[in-house]
Amino acid sequence: MIPPQARGGPMLVRSDDLVVDLAGRDAQLRPVLQDLRVGRWGSLQSLLDATGQDWWLWTSRSQIVPLGQGAPGAVKAWLDTEPSDPGACVMWCRVLTHQAVRVWQDGKGELVQQVREAARRACFTAAYASPSSPVPWLSLLDLAKVSSTFEDLDPYQQLRNTWAYNPPDRTFQLDPAPWMLWHHVRYLDPSNREVNQRMREYIEASWRSGATDFTRWAASRATAGSADFVLPLYAFVSDYQRQVHAGRRTATLYWSTEQIKHHARQARDMWFWATPARERSRLSLLDLNHLAFMLAASGEGGADAVFDEIGPHATPAPWAQVAAVLGRHSWQAEFLRARRGCRPRSHRRS
């Protein structure tokens, strides 16, 4: 789910020494977002062409672009000008999927099916235009949570016979679910980070109680360096929100459980520390912020190193969700408080 702060807001916001920037640490994307604000799409086309089949970058950049001011109109202009360009088709499916999810989140029931259908058709077009790309399939998986049915989200009808209701193994059972989309993303991009995030969102929207089990199952299958080790941390934040709203737990008790501590340590050791320092600039800022929060909240060590990797690039999630349930208004203050609390006194600056 996209934090409200990211919806149509300014592209770059500074708060003390924090930089809240859609581009994050992707310096090549930043000028592209600036061009899109004034309707220029040529630099986006060039950037995506240069991205090639680096699906990690493609996935990340195509997620961010629809959030930028002016991006939907600029991408539509690109598609209208070059309708056979695979990059334009894929970006348009991302834009329409983002809009459909927004309409669904905002509770505009009368429009949901209309925008979902437009997004579905755009995803099908993109899947045929760029058959090696996982992005159209990720968009279809994102759409799955918008409606009570997902059977019409498979552009290749024959897949439905073998994958539609089949989890990948018997250690985790959740039926029905859009496993055919999950499988195809994994087939195209086995290490894709987004696919399990989208499945988690689907389960939270449709089943709710199974999301934590799914994320723990995904983490149990992960290999060193995989972002799937961070996945349970997202589910814990959602569960924490529900627990607090229901009055079932105090803030302190929730984060002190052994389950939380175990997964915080596991994400730290098997994802963050397992990633060579020279490659950590490619780690998701959202994942880093979730790990920093979880280590700080649970009292486990290593949060200071994660905050150092984040630098000034705070993300609203998970800080905004936690601040909201505690009745606090500044998620930036939550970030700064946690960062200050985990640093040695001699190094505290904010």
Side-chain angles (χ1 to χ4, degrees):
M1 183 175 294
I2 297 164
Q5 292 84 349
R7 298 183 180 181
M11 186 173 64
L12 187 149
V13 177
R14 294 184 181 273
S15 174
D16 295 330
D17 65 336
L18 303 185
V19 176
V20 184
D21 181 4
L22 284 180
R25 299 185 289 184
D26 191 342
Q28 292 179 309
L29 181 60
R30 190 167 294 109
V32 170
L33 294 174
Q34 294 170 349
D35 282 349
L36 293 174
R37 296 182 74 181
V38 293
R40 294 196 295 262
W41 50 264
S43 61
L44 174 61
Q45 181 184 39
S46 298
L47 179 65
L48 294 179
D49 284 347
T51 303
Q53 292 196 343
D54 184 337
W55 298 128
W56 182 91
L57 266 181
W58 240 108
T59 300
S60 173
R61 288 169 170 171
S62 64
Q63 277 186 277
I64 293 168
V65 165
L67 305 179
Q69 292 181 354
V75 172
K76 183 61 165 65
W78 176 18
L79 183 68
D80 289 344
T81 304
E82 301 189 19
S84 61
D85 187 314
C89 294
V90 172
M91 278 312 313
W92 186 235
C93 91
R94 275 290 210 194
V95 166
L96 290 188
T97 299
H98 170 67
Q99 292 178 350
V101 172
R102 280 279 307 273
V103 168
W104 171 72
Q105 289 174 341
D106 292 342
K108 299 177 181 177
E110 70 281 3
L111 294 177
V112 169
Q113 287 307 312
Q114 178 181 340
V115 294
R116 177 188 182 276
E117 178 60 16
R120 185 183 72 87
R121 291 180 179 275
C123 290
F124 279 26
T125 298
Y128 289 120
S130 186
S132 62
S133 173
V135 175
W137 295 83
L138 288 165
S139 297
L140 288 164
L141 186 53
D142 198 11
L143 278 178
K145 62 177 176 281
V146 171
S147 176
S148 60
T149 182
F150 54 80
E151 286 83 357
D152 63 336
L153 296 178
D154 177 13
Y156 302 145
Q157 297 291 331
Q158 66 270 24
L159 295 184
R160 211 176 283 171
N161 295 327
T162 56
W163 288 350
Y165 300 101
N166 294 334
D169 62 42
R170 295 184 180 277
T171 63
F172 180 80
Q173 295 292 320
L174 183 70
D175 299 326
W179 291 109
M180 74 284 194
L181 305 177
W182 185 94
H183 274 283
H184 203 74
V185 174
R186 302 277 293 188
Y187 167 73
L188 295 171
D189 183 18
S191 61
N192 188 274
R193 169 192 173 275
E194 186 183 345
V195 65
N196 281 333
Q197 290 285 1
R198 295 305 181 195
M199 184 63 92
R200 174 188 63 82
E201 292 173 356
Y202 168 82
I203 296 170
E204 284 189 347
S206 305
W207 298 77
R208 184 162 295 185
S209 61
T212 300
D213 289 341
F214 169 75
T215 61
R216 294 174 64 189
W217 168 82
S220 73
R221 293 163 49 93
T223 57
S226 171
D228 285 346
F229 288 111
V230 189
L231 198 63
L233 310 189
Y234 288 78
F236 292 144
V237 171
S238 296
D239 182 58
Y240 171 72
Q241 290 177 285
R242 291 191 293 270
Q243 296 272 5
V244 172
H245 286 311
R248 294 176 186 168
R249 292 189 184 230
T250 66
T252 303
L253 289 177
Y254 187 87
W255 303 117
S256 63
T257 63
E258 182 53 35
Q259 176 180 236
I260 299 291
K261 289 175 173 289
H262 165 74
H263 284 285
R265 292 191 300 266
Q266 187 178 63
R268 177 195 64 196
D269 297 343
M270 298 302 294
W271 175 67
F272 183 72
W273 289 129
T275 301
R278 65 182 180 277
E279 298 177 13
R280 289 181 194 150
S281 62
R282 285 173 65 95
L283 297 180
S284 161
L285 283 171
L286 268 174
D287 289 349
L288 287 168
N289 274 262
H290 275 78
L291 178 57
F293 166 77
M294 203 67 60
L295 290 172
S298 66
E300 294 294 325
D304 54 342
V306 181
F307 277 114
D308 285 343
E309 184 62 38
I310 292 169
H313 298 289
T315 60
W319 313 101
Q321 289 96 318
V322 174
V325 298
L326 295 177
R328 299 169 182 168
H329 300 293
S330 172
W331 67 263
Q332 292 94 336
E334 292 296 314
F335 176 93
L336 293 170
R337 185 182 300 110
R339 186 178 70 178
R340 186 170 56 245
C342 74
R343 284 182 168 169
R345 188 174 299 276
S346 61
H347 290 87
R348 294 180 186 177
R349 295 178 290 119
S350 59

mmCIF file of all heavy atoms in Angstrom, residues 270-316:
data_model
loop_
_atom_site.group_PDB
_atom_site.id
_atom_site.type_symbol
_atom_site.label_atom_id
_atom_site.label_comp_id
_atom_site.label_asym_id
_atom_site.label_seq_id
_atom_site.Cartn_x
_atom_site.Cartn_y
_atom_site.Cartn_z
ATOM 1 N N MET A 270 20.945 -12.108 7.605
ATOM 2 C CA MET A 270 20.841 -12.840 6.345
ATOM 3 C C MET A 270 20.571 -11.946 5.140
ATOM 4 O O MET A 270 20.710 -12.388 3.998
ATOM 5 C CB MET A 270 19.737 -13.899 6.458
ATOM 6 C CG MET A 270 20.016 -14.951 7.517
ATOM 7 S SD MET A 270 21.584 -15.834 7.209
ATOM 8 C CE MET A 270 21.183 -16.701 5.690
ATOM 9 N N TRP A 271 20.176 -10.707 5.389
ATOM 10 C CA TRP A 271 19.949 -9.772 4.280
ATOM 11 C C TRP A 271 20.956 -8.629 4.324
ATOM 12 O O TRP A 271 21.767 -8.474 3.411
ATOM 13 C CB TRP A 271 18.518 -9.228 4.329
ATOM 14 C CG TRP A 271 18.241 -8.170 3.309
ATOM 15 C CD1 TRP A 271 18.205 -8.333 1.948
ATOM 16 C CD2 TRP A 271 17.964 -6.782 3.555
ATOM 17 N NE1 TRP A 271 17.930 -7.128 1.330
ATOM 18 C CE2 TRP A 271 17.776 -6.170 2.289
ATOM 19 C CE3 TRP A 271 17.859 -6.010 4.708
ATOM 20 C CZ2 TRP A 271 17.482 -4.804 2.161
ATOM 21 C CZ3 TRP A 271 17.556 -4.658 4.585
ATOM 22 C CH2 TRP A 271 17.379 -4.066 3.324
ATOM 23 N N PHE A 272 20.932 -7.836 5.393
ATOM 24 C CA PHE A 272 21.769 -6.641 5.433
ATOM 25 C C PHE A 272 23.250 -6.990 5.496
ATOM 26 O O PHE A 272 24.035 -6.605 4.622
ATOM 27 C CB PHE A 272 21.377 -5.759 6.619
ATOM 28 C CG PHE A 272 22.136 -4.470 6.688
ATOM 29 C CD1 PHE A 272 21.880 -3.447 5.784
ATOM 30 C CD2 PHE A 272 23.116 -4.274 7.653
ATOM 31 C CE1 PHE A 272 22.593 -2.258 5.834
ATOM 32 C CE2 PHE A 272 23.836 -3.093 7.710
ATOM 33 C CZ PHE A 272 23.574 -2.076 6.800
ATOM 34 N N TRP A 273 23.654 -7.757 6.523
ATOM 35 C CA TRP A 273 25.072 -8.086 6.639
ATOM 36 C C TRP A 273 25.521 -9.032 5.527
ATOM 37 O O TRP A 273 26.699 -9.019 5.142
ATOM 38 C CB TRP A 273 25.366 -8.723 7.988
ATOM 39 C CG TRP A 273 25.286 -7.800 9.169
ATOM 40 C CD1 TRP A 273 24.587 -8.015 10.324
ATOM 41 C CD2 TRP A 273 25.924 -6.528 9.345
ATOM 42 N NE1 TRP A 273 24.738 -6.954 11.191
ATOM 43 C CE2 TRP A 273 25.556 -6.028 10.617
ATOM 44 C CE3 TRP A 273 26.761 -5.757 8.541
ATOM 45 C CZ2 TRP A 273 25.994 -4.806 11.102
ATOM 46 C CZ3 TRP A 273 27.206 -4.525 9.014
ATOM 47 C CH2 TRP A 273 26.828 -4.067 10.279
ATOM 48 N N ALA A 274 24.609 -9.841 5.001
ATOM 49 C CA ALA A 274 24.980 -10.785 3.938
ATOM 50 C C ALA A 274 25.199 -10.098 2.604
ATOM 51 O O ALA A 274 25.763 -10.697 1.682
ATOM 52 C CB ALA A 274 23.902 -11.861 3.800
ATOM 53 N N THR A 275 24.749 -8.859 2.488
ATOM 54 C CA THR A 275 24.962 -8.091 1.264
ATOM 55 C C THR A 275 26.300 -7.359 1.369
ATOM 56 O O THR A 275 26.503 -6.598 2.319
ATOM 57 C CB THR A 275 23.842 -7.064 1.049
ATOM 58 O OG1 THR A 275 22.588 -7.746 0.979
ATOM 59 C CG2 THR A 275 24.067 -6.282 -0.233
ATOM 60 N N PRO A 276 27.222 -7.577 0.439
ATOM 61 C CA PRO A 276 28.510 -6.874 0.511
ATOM 62 C C PRO A 276 28.310 -5.356 0.568
ATOM 63 O O PRO A 276 27.397 -4.815 -0.059
ATOM 64 C CB PRO A 276 29.206 -7.289 -0.794
ATOM 65 C CG PRO A 276 28.581 -8.605 -1.157
ATOM 66 C CD PRO A 276 27.151 -8.498 -0.713
ATOM 67 N N ALA A 277 29.138 -4.679 1.325
ATOM 68 C CA ALA A 277 28.993 -3.236 1.538
ATOM 69 C C ALA A 277 28.936 -2.472 0.220
ATOM 70 O O ALA A 277 28.171 -1.511 0.078
ATOM 71 C CB ALA A 277 30.127 -2.724 2.419
ATOM 72 N N ARG A 278 29.714 -2.913 -0.760
ATOM 73 C CA ARG A 278 29.755 -2.196 -2.039
ATOM 74 C C ARG A 278 28.448 -2.326 -2.819
ATOM 75 O O ARG A 278 28.214 -1.567 -3.769
ATOM 76 C CB ARG A 278 30.917 -2.711 -2.887
ATOM 77 C CG ARG A 278 30.778 -4.154 -3.321
ATOM 78 C CD ARG A 278 31.977 -4.648 -4.111
ATOM 79 N NE ARG A 278 31.826 -6.043 -4.517
ATOM 80 C CZ ARG A 278 32.113 -7.079 -3.744
ATOM 81 N NH1 ARG A 278 32.565 -6.864 -2.514
ATOM 82 N NH2 ARG A 278 31.961 -8.314 -4.180
ATOM 83 N N GLU A 279 27.601 -3.299 -2.437
ATOM 84 C CA GLU A 279 26.341 -3.515 -3.155
ATOM 85 C C GLU A 279 25.126 -2.994 -2.397
ATOM 86 O O GLU A 279 24.000 -3.084 -2.890
ATOM 87 C CB GLU A 279 26.163 -5.018 -3.427
ATOM 88 C CG GLU A 279 27.245 -5.619 -4.313
ATOM 89 C CD GLU A 279 27.087 -7.122 -4.501
ATOM 90 O OE1 GLU A 279 25.993 -7.639 -4.145
ATOM 91 O OE2 GLU A 279 28.034 -7.772 -4.968
ATOM 92 N N ARG A 280 25.322 -2.432 -1.221
ATOM 93 C CA ARG A 280 24.172 -2.036 -0.408
ATOM 94 C C ARG A 280 23.456 -0.810 -0.937
ATOM 95 O O ARG A 280 22.333 -0.532 -0.519
ATOM 96 C CB ARG A 280 24.606 -1.816 1.047
ATOM 97 C CG ARG A 280 24.958 -3.114 1.753
ATOM 98 C CD ARG A 280 25.355 -2.904 3.197
ATOM 99 N NE ARG A 280 25.982 -4.122 3.712
ATOM 100 C CZ ARG A 280 26.908 -4.147 4.640
ATOM 101 N NH1 ARG A 280 27.331 -2.998 5.186
ATOM 102 N NH2 ARG A 280 27.424 -5.289 5.052
ATOM 103 N N SER A 281 24.064 -0.085 -1.852
ATOM 104 C CA SER A 281 23.376 1.075 -2.438
ATOM 105 C C SER A 281 22.171 0.647 -3.261
ATOM 106 O O SER A 281 21.298 1.462 -3.561
ATOM 107 C CB SER A 281 24.338 1.886 -3.310
ATOM 108 O OG SER A 281 24.820 1.099 -4.390
ATOM 109 N N ARG A 282 22.106 -0.637 -3.627
ATOM 110 C CA ARG A 282 20.968 -1.139 -4.387
ATOM 111 C C ARG A 282 19.848 -1.666 -3.492
ATOM 112 O O ARG A 282 18.772 -2.024 -3.987
ATOM 113 C CB ARG A 282 21.422 -2.267 -5.333
ATOM 114 C CG ARG A 282 22.178 -1.764 -6.558
ATOM 115 C CD ARG A 282 22.747 -2.913 -7.360
ATOM 116 N NE ARG A 282 21.732 -3.771 -7.939
ATOM 117 C CZ ARG A 282 21.263 -3.642 -9.188
ATOM 118 N NH1 ARG A 282 21.692 -2.659 -9.963
ATOM 119 N NH2 ARG A 282 20.367 -4.488 -9.650
ATOM 120 N N LEU A 283 20.086 -1.719 -2.197
ATOM 121 C CA LEU A 283 19.044 -2.216 -1.300
ATOM 122 C C LEU A 283 17.888 -1.228 -1.244
ATOM 123 O O LEU A 283 18.078 -0.004 -1.274
ATOM 124 C CB LEU A 283 19.614 -2.434 0.105
ATOM 125 C CG LEU A 283 20.713 -3.487 0.234
ATOM 126 C CD1 LEU A 283 21.176 -3.584 1.685
ATOM 127 C CD2 LEU A 283 20.258 -4.845 -0.278
ATOM 128 N N SER A 284 16.680 -1.767 -1.146
ATOM 129 C CA SER A 284 15.480 -0.938 -1.083
ATOM 130 C C SER A 284 15.494 -0.058 0.151
ATOM 131 O O SER A 284 15.706 -0.541 1.277
ATOM 132 C CB SER A 284 14.239 -1.839 -1.068
ATOM 133 O OG SER A 284 13.119 -1.147 -0.578
ATOM 134 N N LEU A 285 15.236 1.237 -0.036
ATOM 135 C CA LEU A 285 15.146 2.141 1.106
ATOM 136 C C LEU A 285 13.965 1.787 2.006
ATOM 137 O O LEU A 285 14.041 1.936 3.229
ATOM 138 C CB LEU A 285 15.030 3.587 0.629
ATOM 139 C CG LEU A 285 16.334 4.225 0.139
ATOM 140 C CD1 LEU A 285 16.056 5.571 -0.508
ATOM 141 C CD2 LEU A 285 17.341 4.379 1.282
ATOM 142 N N LEU A 286 12.874 1.320 1.424
ATOM 143 C CA LEU A 286 11.748 0.881 2.248
ATOM 144 C C LEU A 286 12.149 -0.285 3.140
ATOM 145 O O LEU A 286 11.810 -0.319 4.328
ATOM 146 C CB LEU A 286 10.567 0.474 1.353
ATOM 147 C CG LEU A 286 9.536 1.534 1.019
ATOM 148 C CD1 LEU A 286 8.528 0.973 0.011
ATOM 149 C CD2 LEU A 286 8.811 2.012 2.267
ATOM 150 N N ASP A 287 12.876 -1.235 2.571
ATOM 151 C CA ASP A 287 13.328 -2.375 3.362
ATOM 152 C C ASP A 287 14.284 -1.923 4.457
ATOM 153 O O ASP A 287 14.195 -2.384 5.608
ATOM 154 C CB ASP A 287 14.017 -3.404 2.461
ATOM 155 C CG ASP A 287 13.051 -4.131 1.547
ATOM 156 O OD1 ASP A 287 11.820 -3.995 1.735
ATOM 157 O OD2 ASP A 287 13.524 -4.837 0.632
ATOM 158 N N LEU A 288 15.202 -1.043 4.124
ATOM 159 C CA LEU A 288 16.159 -0.548 5.112
ATOM 160 C C LEU A 288 15.448 0.185 6.246
ATOM 161 O O LEU A 288 15.795 0.017 7.425
ATOM 162 C CB LEU A 288 17.174 0.377 4.446
ATOM 163 C CG LEU A 288 18.224 -0.301 3.554
ATOM 164 C CD1 LEU A 288 18.963 0.743 2.728
ATOM 165 C CD2 LEU A 288 19.212 -1.105 4.394
ATOM 166 N N ASN A 289 14.446 0.999 5.922
ATOM 167 C CA ASN A 289 13.718 1.725 6.959
ATOM 168 C C ASN A 289 12.930 0.770 7.844
ATOM 169 O O ASN A 289 12.847 0.965 9.063
ATOM 170 C CB ASN A 289 12.803 2.771 6.332
ATOM 171 C CG ASN A 289 13.513 4.083 6.061
ATOM 172 O OD1 ASN A 289 13.442 5.032 6.833
ATOM 173 N ND2 ASN A 289 14.239 4.142 4.939
ATOM 174 N N HIS A 290 12.345 -0.273 7.261
ATOM 175 C CA HIS A 290 11.645 -1.262 8.082
ATOM 176 C C HIS A 290 12.616 -1.990 9.015
ATOM 177 O O HIS A 290 12.300 -2.232 10.188
ATOM 178 C CB HIS A 290 10.903 -2.270 7.197
ATOM 179 C CG HIS A 290 9.542 -1.817 6.771
ATOM 180 N ND1 HIS A 290 9.350 -0.902 5.755
ATOM 181 C CD2 HIS A 290 8.306 -2.132 7.239
ATOM 182 C CE1 HIS A 290 8.046 -0.690 5.616
ATOM 183 N NE2 HIS A 290 7.394 -1.421 6.499
ATOM 184 N N LEU A 291 13.780 -2.346 8.490
ATOM 185 C CA LEU A 291 14.751 -3.048 9.331
ATOM 186 C C LEU A 291 15.263 -2.138 10.441
ATOM 187 O O LEU A 291 15.377 -2.566 11.602
ATOM 188 C CB LEU A 291 15.918 -3.561 8.481
ATOM 189 C CG LEU A 291 17.023 -4.275 9.263
ATOM 190 C CD1 LEU A 291 16.478 -5.455 10.055
ATOM 191 C CD2 LEU A 291 18.138 -4.730 8.314
ATOM 192 N N ALA A 292 15.561 -0.883 10.117
ATOM 193 C CA ALA A 292 16.037 0.048 11.142
ATOM 194 C C ALA A 292 14.998 0.214 12.243
ATOM 195 O O ALA A 292 15.322 0.197 13.440
ATOM 196 C CB ALA A 292 16.361 1.403 10.511
ATOM 197 N N PHE A 293 13.740 0.362 11.836
ATOM 198 C CA PHE A 293 12.680 0.502 12.833
ATOM 199 C C PHE A 293 12.601 -0.740 13.721
ATOM 200 O O PHE A 293 12.520 -0.645 14.951
ATOM 201 C CB PHE A 293 11.329 0.739 12.157
ATOM 202 C CG PHE A 293 10.174 0.542 13.107
ATOM 203 C CD1 PHE A 293 9.868 1.509 14.043
ATOM 204 C CD2 PHE A 293 9.444 -0.635 13.093
ATOM 205 C CE1 PHE A 293 8.837 1.314 14.959
ATOM 206 C CE2 PHE A 293 8.406 -0.835 13.996
ATOM 207 C CZ PHE A 293 8.109 0.146 14.928
ATOM 208 N N MET A 294 12.611 -1.912 13.095
ATOM 209 C CA MET A 294 12.408 -3.138 13.852
ATOM 210 C C MET A 294 13.559 -3.407 14.812
ATOM 211 O O MET A 294 13.346 -3.845 15.954
ATOM 212 C CB MET A 294 12.231 -4.313 12.895
ATOM 213 C CG MET A 294 11.488 -5.486 13.465
ATOM 214 S SD MET A 294 9.747 -5.127 13.822
ATOM 215 C CE MET A 294 9.130 -4.684 12.202
ATOM 216 N N LEU A 295 14.785 -3.147 14.380
ATOM 217 C CA LEU A 295 15.930 -3.348 15.270
ATOM 218 C C LEU A 295 15.876 -2.379 16.442
ATOM 219 O O LEU A 295 16.126 -2.753 17.591
ATOM 220 C CB LEU A 295 17.238 -3.169 14.495
ATOM 221 C CG LEU A 295 17.570 -4.256 13.468
ATOM 222 C CD1 LEU A 295 18.786 -3.846 12.639
ATOM 223 C CD2 LEU A 295 17.828 -5.597 14.146
ATOM 224 N N ALA A 296 15.526 -1.132 16.156
ATOM 225 C CA ALA A 296 15.450 -0.138 17.225
ATOM 226 C C ALA A 296 14.316 -0.462 18.191
ATOM 227 O O ALA A 296 14.485 -0.377 19.416
ATOM 228 C CB ALA A 296 15.267 1.252 16.626
ATOM 229 N N ALA A 297 13.156 -0.848 17.665
ATOM 230 C CA ALA A 297 11.993 -1.100 18.512
ATOM 231 C C ALA A 297 12.163 -2.352 19.361
ATOM 232 O O ALA A 297 11.676 -2.419 20.489
ATOM 233 C CB ALA A 297 10.734 -1.217 17.655
ATOM 234 N N SER A 298 12.859 -3.356 18.821
ATOM 235 C CA SER A 298 13.018 -4.617 19.541
ATOM 236 C C SER A 298 14.231 -4.623 20.458
ATOM 237 O O SER A 298 14.391 -5.543 21.258
ATOM 238 C CB SER A 298 13.131 -5.775 18.547
ATOM 239 O OG SER A 298 14.323 -5.664 17.781
ATOM 240 N N GLY A 299 15.089 -3.632 20.305
ATOM 241 C CA GLY A 299 16.287 -3.576 21.130
ATOM 242 C C GLY A 299 17.425 -4.446 20.637
ATOM 243 O O GLY A 299 18.430 -4.594 21.321
ATOM 244 N N GLU A 300 17.276 -5.003 19.436
ATOM 245 C CA GLU A 300 18.354 -5.800 18.870
ATOM 246 C C GLU A 300 19.457 -4.879 18.324
ATOM 247 O O GLU A 300 19.193 -3.744 17.927
ATOM 248 C CB GLU A 300 17.823 -6.699 17.754
ATOM 249 C CG GLU A 300 16.871 -7.767 18.227
ATOM 250 C CD GLU A 300 17.546 -8.796 19.133
ATOM 251 O OE1 GLU A 300 18.733 -9.112 18.913
ATOM 252 O OE2 GLU A 300 16.896 -9.277 20.080
ATOM 253 N N GLY A 301 20.675 -5.383 18.279
ATOM 254 C CA GLY A 301 21.793 -4.572 17.831
ATOM 255 C C GLY A 301 21.837 -4.404 16.323
ATOM 256 O O GLY A 301 21.176 -5.123 15.575
ATOM 257 N N GLY A 302 22.617 -3.442 15.878
ATOM 258 C CA GLY A 302 22.850 -3.241 14.454
ATOM 259 C C GLY A 302 22.056 -2.135 13.819
ATOM 260 O O GLY A 302 22.267 -1.812 12.641
ATOM 261 N N ALA A 303 21.133 -1.520 14.551
ATOM 262 C CA ALA A 303 20.306 -0.466 13.959
ATOM 263 C C ALA A 303 21.151 0.715 13.510
ATOM 264 O O ALA A 303 20.848 1.353 12.493
ATOM 265 C CB ALA A 303 19.235 -0.008 14.943
ATOM 266 N N ASP A 304 22.217 1.019 14.249
ATOM 267 C CA ASP A 304 23.032 2.175 13.888
ATOM 268 C C ASP A 304 23.654 2.009 12.512
ATOM 269 O O ASP A 304 23.711 2.964 11.723
ATOM 270 C CB ASP A 304 24.111 2.421 14.948
ATOM 271 C CG ASP A 304 24.966 1.189 15.234
ATOM 272 O OD1 ASP A 304 24.534 0.075 14.881
ATOM 273 O OD2 ASP A 304 26.056 1.354 15.809
ATOM 274 N N ALA A 305 24.091 0.805 12.175
ATOM 275 C CA ALA A 305 24.675 0.562 10.857
ATOM 276 C C ALA A 305 23.629 0.699 9.753
ATOM 277 O O ALA A 305 23.914 1.200 8.664
ATOM 278 C CB ALA A 305 25.313 -0.826 10.804
ATOM 279 N N VAL A 306 22.415 0.252 10.033
ATOM 280 C CA VAL A 306 21.342 0.373 9.043
ATOM 281 C C VAL A 306 20.973 1.841 8.843
ATOM 282 O O VAL A 306 20.781 2.299 7.714
ATOM 283 C CB VAL A 306 20.114 -0.451 9.464
ATOM 284 C CG1 VAL A 306 19.010 -0.336 8.407
ATOM 285 C CG2 VAL A 306 20.495 -1.921 9.655
ATOM 286 N N PHE A 307 20.897 2.602 9.933
ATOM 287 C CA PHE A 307 20.637 4.036 9.807
ATOM 288 C C PHE A 307 21.746 4.723 9.026
ATOM 289 O O PHE A 307 21.482 5.648 8.240
ATOM 290 C CB PHE A 307 20.486 4.676 11.189
ATOM 291 C CG PHE A 307 19.117 4.550 11.780
ATOM 292 C CD1 PHE A 307 18.906 3.793 12.917
ATOM 293 C CD2 PHE A 307 18.023 5.197 11.200
ATOM 294 C CE1 PHE A 307 17.640 3.673 13.474
ATOM 295 C CE2 PHE A 307 16.754 5.085 11.740
ATOM 296 C CZ PHE A 307 16.556 4.326 12.881
ATOM 297 N N ASP A 308 22.984 4.302 9.227
ATOM 298 C CA ASP A 308 24.082 4.885 8.462
ATOM 299 C C ASP A 308 23.907 4.618 6.973
ATOM 300 O O ASP A 308 24.195 5.483 6.132
ATOM 301 C CB ASP A 308 25.421 4.316 8.938
ATOM 302 C CG ASP A 308 25.859 4.889 10.280
ATOM 303 O OD1 ASP A 308 25.314 5.936 10.688
ATOM 304 O OD2 ASP A 308 26.739 4.276 10.920
ATOM 305 N N GLU A 309 23.437 3.409 6.639
ATOM 306 C CA GLU A 309 23.214 3.081 5.226
ATOM 307 C C GLU A 309 22.065 3.910 4.653
ATOM 308 O O GLU A 309 22.117 4.352 3.497
ATOM 309 C CB GLU A 309 22.912 1.583 5.084
ATOM 310 C CG GLU A 309 22.762 1.112 3.651
ATOM 311 C CD GLU A 309 24.022 1.300 2.815
ATOM 312 O OE1 GLU A 309 25.136 1.096 3.356
ATOM 313 O OE2 GLU A 309 23.894 1.658 1.622
ATOM 314 N N ILE A 310 21.031 4.133 5.441
ATOM 315 C CA ILE A 310 19.906 4.956 4.996
ATOM 316 C C ILE A 310 20.353 6.397 4.750
ATOM 317 O O ILE A 310 19.912 7.053 3.794
ATOM 318 C CB ILE A 310 18.775 4.934 6.042
ATOM 319 C CG1 ILE A 310 18.154 3.539 6.117
ATOM 320 C CG2 ILE A 310 17.701 5.975 5.724
ATOM 321 C CD1 ILE A 310 17.206 3.352 7.291
ATOM 322 N N GLY A 311 21.246 6.882 5.597
ATOM 323 C CA GLY A 311 21.664 8.276 5.488
ATOM 324 C C GLY A 311 20.483 9.199 5.695
ATOM 325 O O GLY A 311 19.689 9.007 6.613
ATOM 326 N N PRO A 312 20.308 10.208 4.837
ATOM 327 C CA PRO A 312 19.186 11.142 4.996
ATOM 328 C C PRO A 312 17.892 10.658 4.348
ATOM 329 O O PRO A 312 16.873 11.344 4.403
ATOM 330 C CB PRO A 312 19.688 12.400 4.289
ATOM 331 C CG PRO A 312 20.550 11.874 3.183
ATOM 332 C CD PRO A 312 21.223 10.639 3.764
ATOM 333 N N HIS A 313 17.921 9.457 3.726
ATOM 334 C CA HIS A 313 16.805 9.020 2.888
ATOM 335 C C HIS A 313 15.751 8.250 3.683
ATOM 336 O O HIS A 313 15.534 7.047 3.483
ATOM 337 C CB HIS A 313 17.314 8.189 1.720
ATOM 338 C CG HIS A 313 18.220 8.936 0.809
ATOM 339 N ND1 HIS A 313 17.768 9.934 -0.036
ATOM 340 C CD2 HIS A 313 19.562 8.862 0.630
ATOM 341 C CE1 HIS A 313 18.785 10.427 -0.712
ATOM 342 N NE2 HIS A 313 19.886 9.802 -0.330
ATOM 343 N N ALA A 314 15.074 8.948 4.571
ATOM 344 C CA ALA A 314 13.967 8.340 5.312
ATOM 345 C C ALA A 314 12.780 8.123 4.386
ATOM 346 O O ALA A 314 12.559 8.888 3.443
ATOM 347 C CB ALA A 314 13.560 9.239 6.471
ATOM 348 N N THR A 315 12.018 7.056 4.647
ATOM 349 C CA THR A 315 10.767 6.827 3.914
ATOM 350 C C THR A 315 9.612 6.917 4.906
ATOM 351 O O THR A 315 9.773 6.565 6.079
ATOM 352 C CB THR A 315 10.759 5.437 3.249
ATOM 353 O OG1 THR A 315 10.899 4.424 4.257
ATOM 354 C CG2 THR A 315 11.897 5.308 2.248
ATOM 355 N N PRO A 316 8.437 7.375 4.468
ATOM 356 C CA PRO A 316 7.308 7.473 5.394
ATOM 357 C C PRO A 316 6.983 6.155 6.088
ATOM 358 O O PRO A 316 6.674 6.138 7.277
ATOM 359 C CB PRO A 316 6.160 7.946 4.492
ATOM 360 C CG PRO A 316 6.835 8.703 3.397
ATOM 361 C CD PRO A 316 8.123 7.948 3.145
#
